Amino acid sequence: MPSAHSSSSASDPQRGPSGLQGGLDAVLYSSTWLALAALGLTWATFLFWQVHIPWRLGTMIFTATLFLYNLDSVLPYKHSQPVALSGRKSWMRAHRRSLFFLAMVALAVAGGLFLWDGWQHLIGFIGHLAVISLLYSLPIVKVKGRWWALRDFPLLKVFLIAYVWAAVTVWIPALYLHRPLLDPVVLVLFARRLLFILALAFVFDIRDFSKDKLIGTRTFPGVFGVRATKLVALAALVGAALLVPVGMPAQHQAVYLLPLLLAGGVIWFADESRSDYYFALLADGVMVVQFLVVWVAGMFLT
């Protein structure tokens, strides 16, 4: 999902990171970890309906996520912004060519699978998600002498992130399984996922608080304060917990609360001065935990 301080966990750029840390940085900052999270959430939706995820669809979701987030990370205007470089940003700047190459390969794979599986009849639905994702970071309108992307409109970016992630990880599996999007179970799953992602998106607004303030992007922390933003995020998690699909076994309901509780802890202790790893590894990692919980529940509690 798309730091302001240099007090990150990255090692001294003159010495370079250790092998283990270098590998971790590559997985996290190339958006591979995030793409795995997108795959995991999509897989979790299939598991809810007790269906195996088709490998081509899973690969398409994974590579499409890789493409979009790496394209975002190499946009020229983002590297000219007057902000202090965190370890994450420094790594991305040092590997811009590799990230661009990875994005292009991912696009080719995702596009090929899109055509192979015959998703063309849903080009309108999938296309609107692609447009939102691309225009999220690409400048589209000039406001007061500065080009704005969708993310620059006041208070908008967290809702865009939550909507696209929920649509991709819930609605696309539903369409694949020929389930109506307005089916009550699908709507509950979509709303639960949207609130879950929305809560986590607020964490990244907190991470980017100083950067967004410096470049003039009005986000929830900048307008209402960090503490109020955390309370709104926690309220979103409570809303997600209350949205229980009809027929879900009680033992599943209890286990499914674990990712929400972990997300609550990540939100409560979030601060822009924290390590890049806090956000890239833990905040995104909660989504991976969501998949693992659903998988374990399906294996042992059915």
Side-chain angles (χ1 to χ4, degrees), residues 17-30 32-33 91 95 277:
S18 65
L20 181 61
Q21 183 182 341
L24 180 61
D25 288 349
V27 170
L28 296 179
Y29 303 151
S30 68
T32 302
W33 181 238
W91 189 95
H95 296 83
Y277 294 150

Side-chain angles (χ1 to χ4, degrees), residues 29-30 66-67 70-71 73-76 79 89-106:
Y29 303 151
S30 68
L66 267 185
F67 162 67
N70 281 302
L71 179 67
S73 68
V74 300
L75 290 175
H79 291 271
K89 287 290 187 181
S90 296
W91 189 95
M92 290 178 174
R93 175 170 289 188
H95 296 83
R96 283 182 69 185
R97 289 186 178 181
S98 297
L99 293 177
F100 180 75
F101 177 75
L102 177 60
M104 293 302 101
V105 171

Side-chain angles (χ1 to χ4, degrees), residues 18 26 50 114 139-140 143 214 236 246 258 278 287:
S18 65
Q50 299 181 336
F114 176 86
I140 56 174
V143 179
L214 183 62
V246 175
L258 177 60
Y278 182 89
M287 294 186 282

Side-chain angles (χ1 to χ4, degrees), residues 13-287:
Q14 298 297 322
R15 297 172 56 190
S18 65
L20 181 61
Q21 183 182 341
L24 180 61
D25 288 349
V27 170
L28 296 179
Y29 303 151
S30 68
S31 297
T32 302
W33 181 238
L34 191 62
L36 285 172
L39 171 60
L41 289 180
T42 307
W43 196 342
T45 303
F46 278 97
L47 288 174
F48 174 81
W49 282 311
Q50 299 181 336
V51 177
H52 291 294
I53 185 172
W55 73 265
R56 292 196 300 270
L57 176 58
T59 304
M60 186 177 77
I61 298 298
F62 176 83
T63 52
T65 306
L66 267 185
F67 162 67
L68 289 168
Y69 277 86
N70 281 302
L71 179 67
D72 175 82
S73 68
V74 300
L75 290 175
Y77 85 96
K78 300 190 76 172
H79 291 271
S80 62
Q81 291 175 339
V83 295
L85 288 180
S86 65
R88 178 177 64 94
K89 287 290 187 181
S90 296
W91 189 95
M92 290 178 174
R93 175 170 289 188
H95 296 83
R96 283 182 69 185
R97 289 186 178 181
S98 297
L99 293 177
F100 180 75
F101 177 75
L102 177 60
M104 293 302 101
V105 171
L107 174 62
V109 174
L113 291 172
F114 176 86
L115 297 174
W116 186 2
D117 267 357
W119 287 93
Q120 295 91 319
H121 66 291
L122 293 174
I123 189 65
F125 173 79
I126 295 177
H128 95 279
L129 298 177
V131 168
I132 293 173
S133 300
L134 289 170
L135 297 186
Y136 175 83
S137 294
L138 292 175
I140 56 174
V141 63
K142 205 169 189 177
V143 179
K144 297 181 179 179
R146 182 170 72 90
W147 284 97
W148 283 23
L150 286 179
R151 61 171 290 144
D152 295 313
F153 286 88
L155 309 181
L156 184 59
K157 69 176 188 175
V158 288
F159 297 104
L160 294 175
I161 293 170
Y163 172 72
V164 171
W165 273 74
V168 168
T169 63
V170 175
W171 276 348
I172 287 182
L175 289 170
Y176 186 90
L177 297 172
H178 305 290
R179 293 179 176 270
L181 299 188
L182 297 182
D183 181 84
V185 173
V186 176
L187 287 176
V188 169
L189 287 174
F190 175 82
R192 183 184 177 99
R193 184 66 51 76
L194 185 143
L195 290 173
F196 176 61
I197 299 298
L198 180 64
L200 292 175
F202 282 122
V203 172
F204 294 93
D205 268 1
I206 293 172
R207 180 196 68 183
D208 296 336
F209 173 72
S210 293
K211 185 204 77 172
D212 287 334
K213 188 174 181 180
L214 183 62
I215 64 177
T217 300
R218 294 170 62 82
T219 61
F220 273 82
V223 175
F224 302 109
V226 171
R227 182 177 179 82
T229 299
K230 290 182 178 182
L231 293 176
V232 173
L234 293 175
L237 288 180
V238 172
L242 294 176
L243 289 170
V244 179
V246 175
M248 180 183 286
Q251 64 268 30
H252 283 209
Q253 295 179 33
V255 173
Y256 282 16
L257 290 176
L258 177 60
L260 302 181
L261 293 173
L262 291 175
V266 171
I267 290 165
W268 188 252
F269 292 106
D271 184 88
E272 64 173 336
S273 64
R274 285 196 177 275
S275 161
D276 287 328
Y277 294 150
Y278 182 89
F279 299 97
L281 185 60
L282 295 184
D284 288 339
V286 171
M287 294 186 282

